[in-house]
Amino acid sequence: MTDPAAGLRPATPEEWPAFSRAMLHVFGEDASGPFVESVPEHAELDRSLGLWDGERVVATAGIYSRELTVPGAVVPCAGVTWVTVSPTHRRRGVLRAIMRRQLTELHEQGREAVAALWASEASIYGRFGYAPATWRGNLSGATQRLRLRPGVDAGAGRVDLVPVEEYRAAAVALYDRVRRFVPGNLARGDVWWDRALRDEPAQRHGATERRYLLHTDPDGTVSGYAAYRVKDAWTDGGEPDGTLTVEEVRATGTPAYAALWQFLFAIDLVRTVKVPMASDDDPLRHLLADPRALHARPLDALWVRLVDVGRALAARRYTAPINLVLEVRDRSCPWNDGRWALTAGPSGGFCARTDSDPDLVVDVEALAAAYLGGTSLATLQAAGRVTEVSPGAVTQAATSFRWPVSPWCPDEF
């Protein structure tokens, strides 16, 4: 196999079982069940890539057509997924061929100016221009210390355990309302809600089935929801030592949010609460009486790549006026490499190529890290990823790119 790029092509529905088994084998997952037997609803085989060595699938990749919230706007986003290379075909340029093919096709098709993925290994995707743009808090705490601050307004609403059908009917509309204000959130159509609510026993790891809460205001309006599981355990002395894993909590205001957490902290027989997918800047941390009760171990979450720098920078909003020339270094996408004049502010912006002298020099990976407003360009300068040419340019850019709401992505794909 001398040229892997020449052999890449989309998989057909008939080839899906072999394609998916090859992918799951590399990820170390069970290569059986409904996912393998038939093409899932959320799969887009026309956007897949596979590499065959004879009858054997030796590399896979795919793209989901998603919608991503960015500062002040929502944009189409290519959700890169299924990326694997068989151990028998490593170090032959296969992954590089896949990444280049995806980026080139995205650029030529013009559908999405931004791509994103969840990285199985953090050392892989930086060389292709991706960077972590959101972080998950990976929160945990002991229930005996998890108490809300005195005076926190939990409102006059009620929290109820509900069946999944009732939960979904209310959560869909509420999620679609709140996700538009949080950079990094993804739209969830029906197939993505189907996937989010799937609850296979094999995926519970000894915990209960997923349980669902709705918070309802006195006027009957649903203003919050939560999903969680409990895993029971007992100490040698016969004391309860259960673990509560909270998968998602969303609300339209502080009272509903506080009331949901108040309910969760009081669940019987639980001694530890874990919130692996929470934002690393979750407001829960500021609702607690004991600020040390909740421990965070932040992990990278959504990695972002600017497929087309000009379109991507013009699509988002900025907290303050910015008028700078950015010299972007992009080894993988020559159409991005060069100087870009960015003139923008809170109401929108414009970004186009220019021959003017640069104010900042930045590699595309660092620009991706700052794109959702969570990573400061000043921090990236301190790390040697941004070079200031015009005095004050880093301060202006860092101020304008930052966003009041921390970026967060609770949806793995």
Side-chain angles (χ1 to χ4, degrees), residues 161-331:
L161 277 162
V162 297
V164 63
E165 297 81 10
E166 184 178 347
Y167 173 87
R168 177 169 179 160
V172 167
L174 193 150
Y175 175 83
D176 195 56
R177 177 180 171 187
V178 298
R179 60 100 179 172
R180 297 174 183 272
F181 300 98
V182 184
N185 273 202
L186 295 161
R188 294 178 186 167
D190 285 342
V191 296
W192 289 102
W193 273 106
D194 289 344
R195 181 179 172 180
L197 297 178
R198 191 173 296 121
D199 190 14
E200 303 290 343
Q203 301 300 316
R204 295 173 186 169
H205 304 291
T208 63
E209 76 284 353
R210 189 183 295 114
R211 296 171 180 175
Y212 303 99
L213 302 175
L214 290 180
H215 179 275
T216 308
D217 291 337
D219 65 358
T221 303
V222 175
S223 52
Y225 67 79
Y228 68 94
R229 303 179 190 275
V230 177
K231 185 174 183 178
D232 73 329
W234 301 84
T235 68
D236 291 341
E239 295 297 319
D241 194 27
T243 298
L244 173 75
T245 299
V246 181
E247 296 187 357
E248 187 170 16
V249 181
R250 303 302 290 267
T252 57
T254 302
Y257 197 67
L260 286 164
W261 280 111
Q262 196 169 54
F263 182 100
L264 291 165
F265 291 156
I267 291 175
D268 290 337
L269 309 182
V270 168
R271 295 297 178 265
T272 302
V273 174
K274 295 183 177 181
V275 200
M277 298 299 290
S279 166
D280 66 325
D281 190 29
D282 197 294
L284 173 62
R285 302 173 70 177
H286 304 281
L287 285 172
L288 298 176
D290 180 354
R292 295 181 180 176
L294 198 62
H295 304 286
R297 295 181 59 196
L299 297 170
D300 59 280
L302 191 71
W303 290 55
V304 165
R305 213 289 181 196
L306 305 190
V307 177
D308 286 297
V309 164
R311 290 169 53 209
L313 293 183
R316 58 156 290 177
R317 304 293 182 261
Y318 299 81
T319 55
I322 182 172
N323 186 4
L324 295 174
V325 174
L326 312 179
E327 183 170 317
V328 178
R329 306 283 174 82
D330 193 338
R331 295 168 295 174

Side-chain angles (χ1 to χ4, degrees), residues 66-232:
R66 305 300 304 266
E67 183 181 83
L68 174 70
T69 301
V70 301
V74 294
V75 301
C77 175
V80 175
T81 187
W82 303 345
V83 180
T84 67
V85 178
S86 170
T88 59
H89 287 68
R90 300 267 169 80
R91 291 173 174 78
R92 301 189 190 184
V94 176
L95 180 59
R96 184 168 295 279
I98 289 172
M99 293 287 104
R100 284 182 173 174
R101 170 79 171 264
Q102 283 188 333
L103 291 168
T104 299
E105 289 186 348
L106 289 171
H107 170 64
E108 291 174 347
Q109 293 164 358
R111 291 168 57 179
E112 296 110 343
V114 179
L117 55 79
W118 286 76
S120 55
E121 294 184 72
S123 60
I124 295 175
Y125 294 99
R127 64 183 185 270
F128 305 114
Y130 288 87
T134 78
W135 295 78
R136 46 183 165 150
N138 199 22
L139 308 177
S140 64
T143 54
Q144 63 183 2
R145 297 177 61 189
L146 293 172
R147 299 288 183 269
L148 301 186
R149 290 186 297 106
V152 168
D153 180 13
R158 56 181 293 167
V159 175
D160 293 295
L161 277 162
V162 297
V164 63
E165 297 81 10
E166 184 178 347
Y167 173 87
R168 177 169 179 160
V172 167
L174 193 150
Y175 175 83
D176 195 56
R177 177 180 171 187
V178 298
R179 60 100 179 172
R180 297 174 183 272
F181 300 98
V182 184
N185 273 202
L186 295 161
R188 294 178 186 167
D190 285 342
V191 296
W192 289 102
W193 273 106
D194 289 344
R195 181 179 172 180
L197 297 178
R198 191 173 296 121
D199 190 14
E200 303 290 343
Q203 301 300 316
R204 295 173 186 169
H205 304 291
T208 63
E209 76 284 353
R210 189 183 295 114
R211 296 171 180 175
Y212 303 99
L213 302 175
L214 290 180
H215 179 275
T216 308
D217 291 337
D219 65 358
T221 303
V222 175
S223 52
Y225 67 79
Y228 68 94
R229 303 179 190 275
V230 177
K231 185 174 183 178
D232 73 329

